[in-house]
Amino acid sequence: MELTHHIDPNDLGPNGKAEKVSAGKLHAAQYIVAFILIILITGLWRLQVLGADNFRALAEANRIRKVPILAPRGRLFDREGRLLVDNYPSVSCYLLREQVKDLDVDLPLISQGLHIPIEQIQSTLRRYQIAPKYQPIPLKQDISPDEQAFIAAHRDELPELETLDEQRRLYPRDGFAAHLIGYVGEVSEQMLDDPRYAFYSPGDVVGRSGVEQTYDALLRGKDGSRDVIVNSHGKELGHLGQELAVPGKDLKLTIDLDLQIAAEKALDGKNGAIVAMDPHTGEILAMVSRPTFDPNQFSVRLTKNYWNEILNNPDHPLLNKSLQAQLAPGSTFKIIMSVAGLQENVAQTMHVSCNGGAEFYGHFYACDRHHGAVDINNAIPYSCDTFYYTLANRLGIDTIAKYATSLGLGQKTGIDLPDEVTGTMPSTAWKLKTQHDKWFAGETISVGIGQGAVTATPIQLARALSGVANGGVLRRPHVVFADEIPPDMLQAVRESFPGSGDATIPLTTENWQLITDAMANVTSSPIGTAYAAHLEGVDFAGKTGTAQVIGHDALAKTSKGHNTEPNAWFVGMAPRRNPDIVVAVLWEHGNWGNNSAKLASQIIDAFVNKQRKRDNNIRIATTPEPAKPETIPSATPTVPSAE
Amino acid sequence: MPRLSSYRDFDWVLLGFVLLLSLISVLEIKSATLHTKFHGFDHKQIQFLAVGLVLMFIVSLIDYHRMLDIVHWAYGISIVSLVAVLIVGTKVLGGRRWIKFPGGIHFQPSEWVKLVLIVAVARYFWGLAGKELTWGDIGKAAAMVVVPMALVLKQPDLGTALTYLPILICGLFLGGIRFKQVGLVLLALAMIGGIAWKSGKHLKPYQQARIDAFINPDSDPRGSGYQIRQSLIAVGSGGIWGKGANKGTQTQGDFLPIPYTDFIFAAFCEEHGFVGALGVLLLYFLILMRLIQNAQTASDLPGSFIIMGVVAVIVFQIAVNVGMVVGLMPVTGIPLPLLSYGGSSVLFTFLSLGIVMNIRMRRFVN
């Protein structure tokens, strides 16, 4: 045999002294191995021979059943502590796979007794295949007394059936505030694959939209469990210990029940959205979206019929239109135009003669009437298109976009609710990026009146216009008070809902007063577009908007019975400067901005009445009177004196 | 290249024992996964075994001196791959242990590093053959093993990191460490361990909990204590003769945690009793004796060192795993070689056997 090559670092010959490990050590190794094995055998002997009877008894008794102790979900209250969402006790039936002797034999009986089709039970079982054996599988919720009796009567034949007292969610009726509150449901397969839901297991009930989803971690609390030892017949022998449930946290929402009721009423039978907000803080006071849905139907086993009804409704009841309807803002955009024009020192000196429109770049752009001589002071109450076409043309798209973006258009506001959309604020860069095309000066003209490529959501408009009325201070809208939330969770929520948040834009006092006075004239002056919504004795300001849904040519081809009336917008606030409340109304196909203004005035009215009542039941005055500090404990005159 | 007639020198007896254990492993995995979503893992285990066998034969063909020649490269690559796994590894259950390659192959570097370390330690002590070990020599050997160990601990994978220790201990023992030195090394280790335990920096909370649970199983009836408790019940209730194949209530009723990997011996004890357990331990004993015999007949020093390194790792794993199952050791998550389900474990065992065969086949060379 040939020598194999190998290195020999010590230059020791093939028969060198150190070429072998000493035999003694290898013998020692054999003894060590034997010794270790003997120790292990002794351990086995101790358990399997000496302790066998004891352990056998334990194994027999070792039918540990985890009986969950469910944490009640936190309730939701309005800002004054009035209950919005509660829980109610209900009984559910679960199946314990550990107790099943022969499922094929038991299935027909279970199906008959609990009135569940066999196929449905089988598909439920399939869904839980990956869950640990001891985890009970929910078969039916809200079972009837008869079904409870059936389970009790068949204890011996069906030891696998187990009832559990649970708390179920009880939502307000008729879809009241449904979009804001959201609903709960079983965690879905897709959610379980999402790392954010890593700690959830199949069958967990989680918030699936609205506040229920955003604050699920706070509301859910932590389920506990009792470890009950049962013998093979399901009889309790004792329990090992228990982990108490930690109830979910009750949350106080920023909404005001009275205003929410007023807003719900205002939109009754219409499609659209209303959002009311406190501009000083960004607290949402009311939020309505129509059509709505019934969260109660979602929290118990959702029926296919109801689901289909919701899915096939062309008006998308599940959409929260306050945050998810991105539509042309129409003339409400003129406030943003005014800010841009005044801050750029262009609008102050602009005088336009309106003859029902004007021509730009070879196109005639129409105005809805002959306004005659128009300047910035009356352009807003008139809502004169000609003026804003001209202003837009002077400013150019990128200047407009700069101001609109600083006021939050084209980006999320960062409200703490899921699925907010951004809307669009066009600019030369935007067009290049999205359509790889350059911006034409002609396109700027329609943007000047909030048409064309610009779209916004009601919440964006509420924040932007209240920011203007606030002297340039914009707030992040939110529906839960920050002090209700632990700091780390607050941080997490802010990070998960990025947006423009809190911001301040430059706005000179002069310009601020000019714009807010002009907005007040929209409702208080007979020339204003929303004089119909005038509230006696209330300093109510705002801006209407009427936005076309579809071009008239396309209309004939595609309408197919769809409603094609223009969308009616109104954003209003009271009082005109540093307002206490701002209301944005979107009435889809509401036809005319002042229709929406009337809806907004209902909410403002409710708000003002409430303030008056709170301020020591002052009788509703026909003319605003200055408040007398000596008669009012909380001397905050809310009704402005006539200026 | 060895002539094929060398296969006369292949250790067929050893292979027979190993295959017998593998058969037991497949049957017990089948039983333990009968009613779970892991049903069919026995077939996967058979596939791992087949791949393992092929690799074993391939490895036995390459002269182990070649491995000694290139081991410093392999060691370098090992360190790089352990660092890489920390950076780009796939996170599974909170630990970065696998590197994902295209084609769905998950590669767990910490397993094959074991093999590299065995060869590296052998080569290192070969270089020191015949001289007294100085403190510097001991320090270098320790560093060689402790560096990868620390990297694996970072993953964190306490179980695999611990299996590197016996390689070092075995090397020092055969390399001629003196009693005085042993005493001092142990003292140093005890101090480091004590400090680490006090500061708790090097043990994750769950690892501390496991040790606490081991000391007092009833203190935490749902966590690690629960696992140990269920394991003891499984083993003890098996009695002398066991409850019969596929009839263990603890194993089949999902009471025993992971009965196809870490706790497979408990499942086996429940279903086949003290008699069955003795049989398995006897098989291990025969395999280990056979390995040590091969170390005695190896043609040169590194050959013996390598085989003894393999012996050390296997003995350590048996001691820790069976010790855990019978309640003598805390829960560490170290699989039982040749019995536990798992590709990495099977491949490591068969690769090391391949090297052992390789050394045996060349025992008359020189």
Side-chain angles (χ1 to χ4, degrees):
Chain A
M1 252 181 226
E2 70 208 74
L3 277 177
T4 42
H5 156 86
H6 66 80
I7 24 165
D8 195 344
N10 270 2
D11 285 338
L12 287 162
N15 300 318
K17 180 167 72 79
E19 274 295 3
K20 288 278 187 186
V21 175
S22 81
K25 281 189 179 157
L26 293 179
H27 272 301
Q30 286 177 320
Y31 284 112
I32 293 169
V33 169
F35 176 69
I36 289 173
L37 289 177
I38 284 167
I39 289 180
L40 296 177
I41 290 169
T42 314
L44 284 166
W45 173 267
R46 202 170 47 112
L47 295 175
Q48 299 193 285
V49 180
L50 304 180
D53 292 344
N54 175 28
F55 283 114
R56 215 166 277 144
L58 275 175
E60 197 51 48
N62 185 12
R63 317 283 300 176
I64 300 172
R65 186 188 288 183
K66 259 181 126 52
V67 178
I69 306 173
L70 296 178
R73 199 169 170 85
R75 294 167 301 169
L76 299 178
F77 297 88
D78 91 329
R79 64 187 299 126
E80 292 174 6
R82 290 169 288 187
L83 189 61
L84 285 167
V85 179
D86 199 359
N87 302 309
Y88 70 94
S90 101
V91 181
S92 298
C93 174
Y94 286 85
L95 183 129
L96 296 160
R97 278 164 299 174
E98 298 171 358
Q99 299 290 330
V100 175
K101 291 193 181 63
D102 188 346
L103 198 59
D104 296 338
V105 174
D106 296 346
L107 266 183
L109 182 57
I110 296 175
S111 156
Q112 184 196 336
L114 296 177
H115 313 102
I116 321 171
I118 289 188
E119 305 75 53
Q120 193 183 321
I121 301 177
Q122 284 167 332
S123 80
T124 310
L125 288 173
R126 269 197 299 280
R127 258 194 312 136
Y128 280 85
Q129 250 170 348
I130 58 163
K133 264 253 174 68
Y134 59 77
Q135 192 187 328
I137 299 177
L139 284 184
K140 191 168 184 181
Q141 299 165 330
D142 269 336
I143 59 172
S144 66
D146 282 358
E147 287 161 344
Q148 287 177 49
F150 161 82
I151 294 168
H154 293 78
R155 262 258 147 266
D156 291 344
E157 300 106 290
L158 301 171
E160 64 264 42
L161 291 188
E162 177 77 15
T163 56
L164 184 66
D165 297 342
E166 287 184 324
Q167 300 268 326
R168 304 207 66 65
R169 227 31 176 167
L170 186 61
Y171 293 105
R173 275 207 313 224
D174 307 326
F176 181 88
H179 299 90
L180 175 111
I181 294 168
Y183 60 93
V184 294
E186 241 182 67
V187 65
S188 68
E189 304 265 353
Q190 298 93 312
M191 285 163 97
L192 286 171
D193 293 338
D194 180 338
R196 279 183 308 168
Y197 290 89
F199 298 105
Y200 292 65
S201 36
D204 279 0
V205 168
V206 298
R208 299 288 297 267
S209 76
V211 171
E212 291 275 33
Q213 182 178 334
T214 302
Y215 295 101
D216 188 68
L218 279 185
L219 291 167
R220 69 181 301 107
K222 195 167 174 294
D223 289 352
S225 63
R226 269 171 57 236
D227 292 335
V228 180
I229 306 173
V230 289
N231 67 8
S232 47
H233 307 292
K235 185 163 163 281
E236 281 200 26
L237 300 175
H239 68 90
L240 276 177
Q242 62 178 21
E243 203 180 325
L244 289 173
V246 182
K249 187 179 180 329
D250 290 349
L251 284 183
K252 197 189 252 190
L253 306 185
T254 59
I255 64 168
D256 180 325
L257 200 54
D258 303 314
L259 300 187
Q260 182 72 25
I261 290 169
E264 299 270 359
K265 264 204 192 116
L267 260 191
D268 208 26
K270 308 170 182 71
N271 283 346
I274 293 183
V275 58
M277 182 172 93
D278 177 345
H280 304 302
T281 56
E283 289 158 17
I284 298 294
L285 301 172
M287 183 179 273
V288 178
S289 176
R290 282 282 190 273
T292 183
F293 63 95
D294 182 2
N296 293 300
Q297 299 259 25
F298 283 78
S299 73
V300 186
R301 179 87 46 213
L302 189 58
T303 64
K304 269 212 159 54
N305 292 346
Y306 187 67
W307 182 237
N308 289 336
E309 189 185 315
I310 291 282
L311 272 194
N312 298 330
N313 185 330
D315 293 317
H316 308 295
L318 287 178
L319 274 193
N320 183 352
K321 289 174 181 161
S322 325
L323 331 168
Q324 294 174 279
Q326 36 190 5
L327 301 163
S331 302
T332 54
F333 190 75
K334 290 173 184 170
I335 300 300
I336 294 166
M337 288 294 299
S338 306
V339 171
L342 289 167
Q343 289 294 114
E344 294 284 318
N345 292 320
V346 173
Q348 285 88 337
T349 53
M350 238 178 71
H351 294 279
V352 171
S353 164
C354 169
N355 301 317
E359 189 168 311
F360 298 92
Y361 309 102
H363 276 277
F364 183 75
Y365 290 84
C367 185
D368 62 345
R369 62 179 65 172
H370 293 248
H371 290 113
V374 180
D375 62 9
I376 183 71
N377 291 302
N378 56 15
I380 291 175
Y382 281 153
S383 198
C384 171
D385 290 345
T386 311
F387 182 88
Y388 286 100
Y389 292 142
T390 316
L391 181 59
N393 195 35
R394 292 258 194 103
L395 290 172
I397 189 66
D398 286 343
T399 307
I400 297 171
K402 184 179 90 178
Y403 282 91
T405 307
S406 71
L407 283 161
L409 266 67
Q411 60 206 297
K412 296 179 181 182
T413 63
I415 189 170
D416 49 351
L417 289 173
D419 307 322
E420 189 186 0
V421 298
T422 59
T424 321
M425 184 60 226
S427 65
T428 51
W430 167 84
K431 186 157 181 197
L432 203 61
K433 201 175 132 191
T434 54
Q435 298 169 28
H436 313 293
D437 199 353
K438 69 185 224 300
W439 183 268
F440 298 105
E443 294 175 284
T444 313
I445 311 298
S446 13
V447 170
I449 61 158
Q451 297 276 168
V454 56
T455 64
T457 62
I459 187 87
Q460 279 176 336
L461 291 177
R463 179 174 170 273
L465 269 60
S466 64
V468 175
N470 244 352
V473 179
L474 295 105
R475 293 275 170 227
R476 173 196 291 267
H478 54 274
V479 298
V480 176
F481 292 102
D483 56 12
E484 292 273 300
I485 313 162
D488 53 336
M489 167 113 193
L490 188 63
Q491 189 60 30
V493 167
R494 297 220 162 134
E495 281 166 12
S496 352
F497 299 101
S500 35
D502 293 343
T504 308
I505 60 145
L507 185 60
T508 64
T509 312
E510 215 171 27
N511 294 341
W512 174 49
Q513 291 185 342
L514 189 155
I515 295 174
T516 44
D517 287 342
M519 280 207 277
N521 282 334
V522 169
T523 55
S524 59
S525 149
I527 66 158
T529 48
Y531 186 63
H534 171 70
L535 286 171
E536 196 54 54
V538 180
D539 184 17
F540 176 33
K543 183 72 196 78
T544 51
T546 307
Q548 282 176 3
V549 180
I550 193 162
H552 285 287
D553 311 339
L555 183 68
K557 289 180 203 149
T558 61
S559 64
K560 288 204 188 94
H562 281 314
N563 198 335
T564 53
E565 301 287 353
N567 291 328
W569 281 102
F570 182 77
V571 182
M573 55 277 298
R576 72 183 72 178
R577 291 205 255 282
N578 294 324
D580 296 322
I581 182 168
V582 57
V583 181
V585 178
L586 161 68
W587 180 353
E588 289 177 307
H589 318 303
N591 220 342
W592 206 248
N594 65 356
N595 292 339
S596 283
K598 286 180 215 160
L599 304 188
S601 71
Q602 293 175 33
I603 290 108
I604 301 276
D605 199 34
F607 179 78
V608 172
N609 277 331
K610 220 178 140 146
Q611 276 194 325
R612 286 176 180 155
K613 283 206 183 95
R614 200 174 17 218
D615 296 348
N616 246 350
N617 293 327
I618 294 177
R619 298 278 305 279
I620 297 171
T622 44
T623 49
E625 278 176 32
K628 297 185 185 69
E630 64 273 16
T631 60
I632 299 168
S634 58
T636 45
T638 48
V639 184
S641 47
E643 288 171 34
Chain B
M1 282 293 293
R3 296 188 312 274
L4 273 183
S5 62
S6 305
Y7 277 114
R8 272 185 324 204
D9 296 326
F10 205 86
D11 196 339
W12 297 107
V13 177
L14 173 61
L15 186 61
F17 291 149
V18 167
L19 289 180
L20 196 53
L21 256 186
S22 304
L23 177 68
I24 292 172
S25 153
V26 169
L27 291 174
E28 193 52 51
I29 290 167
K30 184 181 169 77
S31 162
T33 56
L34 218 49
H35 310 295
T36 68
K37 62 168 173 176
F38 308 107
H39 187 69
F41 270 27
D42 46 322
H43 294 292
K44 283 172 105 171
Q45 182 79 346
I46 293 173
Q47 289 167 8
F48 292 138
L49 287 167
V51 174
L53 276 171
V54 171
L55 283 176
M56 183 184 85
F57 279 107
I58 292 172
V59 169
S60 68
L61 291 175
I62 308 161
D63 189 334
Y64 68 97
H65 296 97
R66 297 250 177 271
M67 301 179 195
L68 287 163
D69 290 344
I70 58 157
V71 75
H72 51 284
W73 289 106
Y75 184 83
I77 293 167
S78 301
I79 299 292
V80 170
S81 64
L82 286 176
V83 173
V85 88
L86 288 177
I87 300 163
V88 300
T90 318
K91 219 172 168 117
V92 179
L93 302 172
R96 290 190 188 279
R97 300 180 191 176
W98 286 271
I99 294 182
K100 226 176 172 158
F101 282 119
I105 296 168
H106 280 64
F107 174 66
Q108 195 178 347
S110 56
E111 280 293 335
W112 83 282
V113 169
K114 231 187 283 185
L115 217 50
V116 172
L117 274 181
I118 289 173
V119 179
V121 166
R123 179 176 162 146
Y124 176 78
F125 282 102
W126 190 18
L128 298 174
K131 63 183 277 249
E132 295 268 301
L133 286 189
T134 65
W135 281 109
D137 299 333
I138 294 173
K140 271 189 208 151
M144 208 155 102
V145 176
V146 169
V147 169
M149 215 172 136
L151 287 170
V152 175
L153 269 177
K154 286 245 4 135
Q155 292 180 2
D157 186 352
L158 177 72
T160 308
L162 281 178
T163 55
Y164 296 175
L165 265 187
I167 302 171
L168 174 66
I169 293 167
C170 165
L172 290 170
F173 170 68
L174 297 179
I177 190 167
R178 291 188 303 282
F179 267 113
K180 189 176 67 178
Q181 291 171 321
V182 172
L184 283 166
V185 168
L186 282 179
L187 198 66
L189 279 178
M191 276 171 66
I192 293 166
I195 293 163
W197 179 246
K198 273 272 176 275
S199 68
K201 261 192 193 126
H202 296 286
L203 284 169
K204 299 259 159 192
Y206 75 87
Q207 292 171 338
Q208 287 208 10
R210 280 174 173 180
I211 293 178
D212 291 343
F214 164 66
I215 293 163
N216 178 10
D218 291 327
S219 67
D220 163 29
R222 301 292 345 167
S224 318
Y226 171 83
Q227 296 192 323
I228 293 183
R229 191 192 157 85
Q230 296 300 350
S231 175
L232 295 183
I233 293 175
V235 175
S237 63
I240 295 178
W241 301 105
K243 298 174 187 174
N246 310 342
K247 290 204 179 77
T249 54
Q250 290 283 102
T251 307
Q252 307 299 335
D254 210 14
F255 289 115
L256 188 64
I258 36 177
Y260 52 95
T261 55
D262 295 3
F263 286 93
I264 190 159
F265 193 67
F268 185 84
C269 288
E270 184 186 26
E271 298 190 337
H272 303 285
F274 184 64
V275 176
L278 268 187
V280 167
L281 290 182
L282 179 68
L283 267 175
Y284 275 125
F285 181 72
L286 292 171
I287 289 171
L288 290 163
M289 287 305 124
R290 198 74 198 175
L291 287 171
I292 297 175
Q293 236 171 35
N294 284 327
Q296 287 164 333
T297 59
S299 68
D300 55 9
L301 188 103
S304 320
F305 259 85
I306 292 173
I307 298 182
M308 288 311 289
V310 173
V311 169
V313 170
I314 294 180
V315 169
F316 176 82
Q317 293 193 339
I318 294 170
V320 173
N321 182 288
V322 176
M324 164 184 89
V325 162
V326 300
L328 299 170
M329 290 264 188
V331 176
T332 41
I334 292 179
L336 191 56
L338 293 169
L339 219 55
S340 285
Y341 168 84
S344 298
S345 172
V346 168
L347 293 186
F348 164 78
T349 314
F350 276 88
L351 282 174
S352 20
L353 286 173
I355 301 181
V356 171
M357 299 290 181
N358 179 336
I359 293 164
R360 178 188 163 88
M361 283 153 64
R362 289 169 184 73
R363 66 187 176 220
F364 303 122
V365 177
N366 285 8

